[in-house]
Amino acid sequence: QLQLVESGGGLVQAGGSLRLSCAASGSIFSVSIMGWYRQAPGKQRELVADITSGGITNYADSVKGRFTISRDNAKNTVYLQMNSLKPEDTAVYYCNGVLKATVVGRWGDYWGQGTQVTVSS
């Protein structure tokens, strides 16, 4: 069974940094795009950043210059380095990945369980 397992997150003061990690596990044949989304209370889930298997990145305007997404293809792991955090970054952060279990199988869209990031002012 394919799954995404997140780690990191927590409570930090404004201006601080946190690093999130997300590892894809199970019998994986291939991993395509991976990314991070977040959902604040009362708001819709939004894209924070994503990265292709070739390393092309995409960021939400609100995090450009502060967050950096990266991945280790050998470990099927994606990271989100978050610097200069602001109270408005407070949300549950979800890892997302498009994975395939076999060469003839279909690509599937998978989500992590979510990790809370709280930034105090």
Side-chain angles (χ1 to χ4, degrees):
Q1 181 178 358
L2 304 182
Q3 61 180 344
L4 299 176
V5 180
E6 300 159 353
S7 60
L11 174 64
V12 65
Q13 289 187 333
S17 299
L18 283 174
R19 188 189 195 213
L20 306 181
S21 300
C22 172
S25 65
S27 181
I28 298 170
F29 172 75
S30 185
V31 180
S32 181
I33 194 164
M34 299 187 79
W36 291 93
Y37 289 70
R38 66 187 181 187
Q39 187 167 19
K43 294 188 177 181
Q44 290 189 330
R45 190 174 297 188
E46 62 176 2
L47 174 69
V48 175
D50 59 28
I51 183 169
T52 68
S53 56
I56 298 173
T57 59
N58 174 50
Y59 294 93
D61 287 343
S62 59
V63 307
K64 282 181 181 177
R66 301 187 298 121
F67 291 10
T68 301
I69 190 170
S70 61
R71 65 189 282 172
D72 184 334
N73 290 332
K75 296 180 179 180
N76 292 324
T77 299
V78 64
Y79 307 95
L80 186 68
Q81 178 66 42
M82 304 183 292
N83 299 328
S84 302
L85 282 160
K86 304 175 181 179
E88 50 263 45
D89 294 317
T90 296
V92 178
Y93 283 70
Y94 295 92
C95 175
N96 173 258
V98 178
L99 315 177
K100 192 159 115 168
T102 65
V103 63
V104 297
R106 294 182 177 180
W107 292 100
D109 192 42
Y110 294 83
W111 292 89
Q113 76 280 8
T115 185
Q116 177 70 45
V117 172
T118 302
V119 185
S120 63
S121 57

